[in-house]
Amino acid sequence: MFDFSGFASVNLETVIAAVALIGTAVAWLVDRYVLRRKRLVYRIQVDARIGVYPRADQTQRMVDVEVRHQGAVVPDPSIVLLRLDNAGGMDIDPHDMHEKVAFAFPDRKIVGLKVTEAYPQSLGEMLERRLAPANFVDTSKLVLPRIAINRGDHFKFLLVLSGTGTGISHSGYLAGGSTGGGVYHEPRPRGPGRRTLLFGALSLVLVGALVAFFLVDVLKPPDDCSSGQLRVIGSTAVEPTMRELRTAYAAECTSADIVIAANGSRSGVRALAELGPKDAAQAAKQIAMSDGPAEGAPELVGTPVAVVVFAVAVNRAADVTALTTTQLRDIYSGKFTNWKQLGGRDIPIRMVSRVGPDSGSRRVFREKVLAGDQELGISSDNCARDDDAVAKYHRCEVGTTEELLTRVNEIDGAIGYAELGSARRFAQVSIVTIDKVAPDTARVADRSYRFWEVEHAYTYKAPEPKTLTAAFLDYIGSTKARPVLERGGLVPCGDLPTGFCG
């Protein structure tokens, strides 16, 4: 029997304080990494009056500062620096802003407005365009436009105000995430005092003594974990998703060493098929991801994982959000060379494609959109400038999905094709409808959207039970991996009708 009588002398307040401290930390971790709220946090970094206003008996020692705007004196001027951060665990989409987020300055009016210190820079440029700062002059409210704000994005508003009012309030409703979301004010942090730190440290020591006997069981990896090394190669379209899956798996199974080295669907399948006969042991530690079924590799065993939803991405400067299959074929055959021919702006169409023939994305685009037709030749090495002075069209090729989307995001009039989840992360990229159908999981299930392919995971022969290769394959198909696949724009095969994935 265990004798717990010695614990009767422990101060109850000390134990309660330690439990509260640990509970606060656990609540923060759950809120940040498990609940994955959509959170827009704002901080008032500066809210101060401008100028020095002397008293009658201090006129010899103080100077009055005058602020002018467009030739007129600004009465009772003040300056506000307002910072906004996406501090949640998820991207914020425009439709998450059920009511526009606004900041009010009671008894003050806006004289000037500027967006500063935006990350990424393109976010700040888009805000400047969407805001039209001149529209807010002489108003007492700043209304944030409905825009996409990705995880980690932030920006600041620098405002000059007139009036004697004080304080800032916010309104608007932000929804989203597994448990909702919101707009929050983050006050200036205040550090804990020395006594609080000492008391907290002592409390942690006491609580640690109570729970130490249970840590071995708590920290023990799950029974389905496997250790060893694994290399995931192949499709660059699903590379971001595979990295997130790797991170999630390794968080529970700390002895797993998984490397993601995407090199294109066909390159990955070919490399695994060539390695197998030469070094079966090393081949057993590799998985090749392929957009669609592999060809000419009888020694490889494929497992359908999910349906990859692809999208046609167009730079926003083109001002085109809908295309038909016929229009896309005419673009990629060189018939249309300017967006004004399709109802957009007078900007040249610049095609950004994947290097073939190893790219699975390129193969799917050719088969599902271009009806098997090949793309035109290359006219540019850097996509923004043509090397062929007499070319009647503009086209370049890049090696990865990330590079393709970066080019489309940066170059006015650019068009390309990529996996839907990756395309959503670029602020200057519009995802167009094809034949009036938007890329969506529901439209894939009913087959009204046709630009998709089944993602396969290939191994050299069937993996041995209890190896890391077998365990990670099981994890990809498990319910734990489903939210990660969905965030990446993939539809798990288990969510589709029987036989859909083959």
Side-chain angles (χ1 to χ4, degrees), residues 2 24 29 37 115 158 238 258 303 370 391 404 417 429 444:
F2 293 100
T24 300
L29 289 170
R37 299 176 186 269
V115 180
L158 178 63
V238 298
I258 304 174
T303 302
L370 300 185
L404 182 148
Y417 44 83
V429 168
V444 168

Side-chain angles (χ1 to χ4, degrees), residues 150-436:
N150 296 333
R151 285 179 291 176
D153 287 0
H154 62 261
F155 50 90
K156 296 182 181 180
F157 292 116
L158 178 63
L159 302 103
V160 176
L161 307 171
S162 68
T164 59
T166 59
I168 301 171
S169 62
H170 85 268
S171 60
Y173 179 63
L174 178 70
S178 60
T179 58
V183 182
Y184 303 89
H185 174 234
E186 180 178 297
R188 184 182 299 275
R190 299 180 180 275
R194 182 181 300 175
R195 293 179 61 186
T196 302
L197 289 173
L198 291 174
F199 181 72
L202 178 60
S203 301
L204 285 175
V205 170
L206 293 173
V207 174
L210 293 173
V211 303
F213 297 108
F214 307 100
L215 286 180
V216 173
D217 288 336
V218 171
L219 298 178
K220 182 181 178 181
D223 294 335
D224 57 354
C225 281
S226 294
S227 60
Q229 294 181 330
L230 176 65
R231 186 178 178 87
V232 181
I233 58 178
S235 171
T236 65
V238 298
E239 180 181 6
T241 300
M242 297 309 298
R243 290 188 182 278
E244 190 172 353
L245 287 170
R246 182 269 311 273
T247 301
Y249 183 84
E252 291 187 355
C253 306
T254 56
S255 297
D257 181 9
I258 304 174
V259 176
I260 310 297
N263 57 347
S265 294
R266 291 192 176 183
S267 294
V269 168
R270 184 169 58 249
L272 181 58
E274 292 174 353
L275 177 63
K278 298 176 183 178
D279 191 338
Q282 285 301 315
K285 299 178 182 179
Q286 292 195 11
I287 296 175
M289 305 301 299
S290 175
D291 305 335
E295 299 174 357
E299 294 292 320
L300 301 187
V301 177
T303 302
V305 174
V307 166
V308 184
V309 183
F310 289 96
V312 173
V314 176
N315 183 273
R316 291 186 185 276
D319 198 21
V320 170
T321 59
L323 292 169
T324 66
T325 302
T326 300
Q327 288 172 334
L328 283 166
R329 292 171 185 170
D330 287 342
I331 289 172
Y332 281 85
S333 67
K335 181 177 179 180
F336 291 140
T337 58
N338 193 295
W339 288 111
K340 69 180 180 180
Q341 296 172 280
L342 297 163
R345 294 174 58 190
D346 186 5
I347 299 175
I349 297 174
R350 294 190 173 275
M351 295 171 279
V352 185
S353 303
R354 289 290 306 280
V355 174
D358 290 336
S359 167
S361 303
R362 176 169 173 160
R363 179 188 59 80
V364 177
F365 182 71
R366 186 181 70 245
E367 293 177 358
K368 298 293 182 73
V369 179
L370 300 185
D373 291 342
Q374 293 291 343
E375 297 182 48
L376 296 168
I378 298 173
S379 68
S380 171
D381 285 336
N382 67 358
C383 302
R385 181 182 67 252
D386 289 319
D387 303 306
D388 186 349
V390 298
K392 296 180 179 180
Y393 58 85
H394 311 278
R395 183 177 173 275
C396 68
E397 292 184 354
V398 295
T400 66
T401 299
E402 185 76 12
E403 190 176 358
L404 182 148
L405 289 169
T406 299
R407 293 284 196 278
V408 175
N409 188 68
E410 296 174 347
I411 299 173
D412 289 353
I415 181 175
Y417 44 83
E419 177 262 332
L420 176 61
S422 297
R424 285 172 171 166
R425 298 199 299 268
F426 289 79
Q428 295 304 311
V429 168
S430 289
I431 298 171
V432 303
T433 61
I434 303 177
D435 297 326
K436 298 182 180 180

